[in-house]
Amino acid sequence: MRRLFPVTDLTPADREGEWTLDALADAYAYPEQDGPWLRANMVSTLDGAAQHDGRSQPISCASDMRIFGTLRGLADVVLAGAETVRLEGYRPARAREAFAARRAAAGQGPAPAIAVVSGSLDLDFSLPLFTGPLVPTLVLTGAGAPPGRIEAARAAGAEVVIAGEGSRVDPARAVRELADRGLTRLLTEGGPRLLGQFVAAGVLDELCLTLSPMLTAGDAQRIAGGPAMAVPERFALASMLEEAGFLFTRYRRS
């Protein structure tokens, strides 16, 4: 039986409720605060791999995907890097009846927007992610992005958000630009390079990390890549769930 354990009791117990979607939504609720809150959702094997054969699915499980869906069901916007969008075959987020009342009460639309972070805009704008979303897809890019690609994105129905100078997206500015549009419950699903940029910029508030009981060896990426921080930043464990050896942890900025 799947159970939710508070951080103060990580041993099996019966006093917590089962993992209904409502229970998960309560457990992963965004904090009530002014301004944006950026959380990340990632999975890692025991030996630190964030992917196997370029994708996260082989190291995941059904409960991990249930939490994945819950986190999406709570978010205003889901951020993903262009490479992750291509490798994982991103599609538009869908409205889910299980979260409809909760989203309506929070003043949210029926589904989160997808925001693709790309400096070059080397994206296939004929895909359903751009041509047929329930909520228009956003494309975050820099002021120096190729004008023809910006026009192609807009022609496909995407909203282009300039969030940096040159061809690069500034992570802190991206968060501000989304918040200025009323999108304050932010969720990033990676990939590792995008998460690394958010970490290095000091704008990540929360990490939801699934520890998969698998070993892969090889040279797969970690959950965050890029330049190292001068001083490691400390996060505090907020909660943990366990099923079949998978640990579903949630860490918040100390």
Side-chain angles (χ1 to χ4, degrees):
M1 184 175 293
R2 295 167 295 186
R3 297 293 183 182
L4 168 64
F5 305 122
V7 66
T8 54
D9 181 6
L10 301 181
T11 59
D14 294 327
R15 61 175 177 268
E16 295 295 325
E18 292 186 5
W19 294 16
T20 65
L21 287 178
D22 276 340
L24 287 174
D26 288 340
Y28 284 94
Y30 279 82
E32 294 185 6
Q33 65 165 41
D34 294 328
W37 182 269
L38 174 62
R39 80 171 18 146
N41 181 33
M42 299 292 283
V43 59
S44 171
T45 63
L46 296 176
D47 53 348
Q51 307 161 340
H52 185 65
D53 287 338
R55 301 180 65 242
S56 60
Q57 188 276 332
I59 61 173
S60 182
C61 67
S63 291
D64 187 37
M65 297 308 299
R66 189 172 179 84
I67 293 172
F68 172 94
T70 299
L71 295 179
R72 279 196 166 198
L74 298 174
D76 293 331
V77 60
V78 177
L79 295 99
E83 184 175 3
T84 295
V85 167
R86 289 189 290 264
L87 290 174
E88 302 282 354
Y90 263 56
R91 299 184 64 84
R94 58 189 177 90
R96 296 183 60 186
E97 182 62 31
F99 301 103
R102 191 180 292 263
R103 292 185 67 86
Q108 296 173 293
I114 303 294
V116 183
V117 180
S118 175
S120 67
L121 299 186
D122 181 17
L123 298 162
D124 183 353
F125 294 117
S126 68
L127 294 176
L129 177 62
F130 301 102
T131 62
L134 184 63
V135 180
T137 294
L138 298 102
V139 177
L140 279 68
T141 193
R149 300 306 295 163
I150 291 178
E151 290 306 313
R154 288 174 172 156
E159 179 181 351
V160 177
V161 179
I162 303 300
E165 302 302 324
S167 61
R168 297 183 63 83
V169 173
D170 176 75
R173 182 172 169 183
V175 170
R176 291 195 305 270
E177 291 287 347
L178 293 172
D180 287 346
R181 289 164 171 76
L183 305 173
T184 58
R185 303 173 185 89
L186 311 177
L187 170 66
T188 178
E189 297 172 350
R193 285 191 295 180
L194 180 60
L195 179 55
Q197 291 170 24
F198 284 129
V199 171
V203 295
L204 184 70
D205 298 297
E206 180 178 328
L207 173 63
C208 299
L209 176 64
T210 296
L211 185 61
S212 172
M214 300 182 189
L215 295 168
T216 65
D219 56 0
Q221 290 179 293
R222 298 167 22 186
I223 66 166
M229 300 182 69
V231 178
E233 185 174 10
R234 181 69 178 264
F235 275 52
L237 181 62
S239 68
M240 181 181 291
L241 302 85
E242 185 277 340
E243 184 191 33
F246 283 83
L247 297 180
F248 309 98
T249 67
R250 186 166 57 97
Y251 289 86
R252 287 185 170 181
R253 186 189 303 278
S254 297

